[in-house]
Amino acid sequence: MNVPRAHNAMAGATLVELVVAILIISISLGGVLLVFSQNITRSVDPQLTQQAIAIAEAYLEEILLKPLDDPGGGETGGAESGESRSVYDDVQDYDGLNEQPPSDQAGIAWSGLDGYRVSVTVGGTTALGPGGDTVPTADVRRVDVRVVFNNRVDVTLTGYRADY
């Protein structure tokens, strides 16, 4: 009768092999979790940038819809003293505007945008007119709207307003 031979070596892993395997898995898992953590932290940045662009576009549109020169013939540089944004009547009035948080033209703050700061610079610039002629500085304004969010996002949009 044939009796199977008994195995002298036991199948399986030793305690040392298990500890080494657990150590390797934990180190690699830590590296993977670190990558996931960094991606999750930075995944909000594009949303913040898009929000900053939308704010800058709203301000730029508001400013560029105003006439180049003061319709009342007032000051030519910046807002008249004591004048609030709700009565700005020309592009130059917005020069030096600095708001945090952003607000509408009536001064009502937009909710949920507390970390954003908006600053506006308006200055004269030269431009090329029809036929390549240079348009005088007095007839063109460059408007820079800068939106910053907690020093993480910094967006500047530029527009031009001409007296045509």
Side-chain angles (χ1 to χ4, degrees), residues 44-108:
V44 177
D45 286 350
Q47 179 182 355
L48 297 175
T49 302
Q50 286 301 110
Q51 187 67 53
I53 290 170
I55 293 167
E57 286 175 341
Y59 273 78
L60 192 59
E61 182 178 3
E62 174 189 330
I63 296 167
L64 295 180
L65 287 173
K66 301 291 182 186
L68 183 68
D69 295 318
D70 193 346
E75 292 183 23
T76 58
E80 285 79 14
S81 66
E83 198 174 71
S84 68
R85 185 169 153 216
S86 63
V87 294
Y88 285 178
D89 57 358
D90 64 279
V91 172
Q92 196 65 40
D93 286 346
Y94 289 89
D95 189 26
L97 179 70
N98 196 346
E99 292 185 336
Q100 184 175 5
S103 63
D104 63 11
Q105 194 170 0
I108 300 169

Side-chain angles (χ1 to χ4, degrees), residues 124-145:
T125 186
T126 56
L128 293 179
D133 299 331
T134 302
V135 177
T137 303
D139 294 338
V140 180
R141 297 284 181 275
R142 175 183 168 149
V143 180
D144 294 318
V145 178

Side-chain angles (χ1 to χ4, degrees), residues 48 52 112-117 147-155:
L48 297 175
L113 302 176
D114 295 335
Y116 291 92
R117 183 174 38 85
V147 179
V148 178
F149 178 77
N150 292 339
N151 296 326
R152 287 177 59 190
V153 175
D154 191 342
V155 172

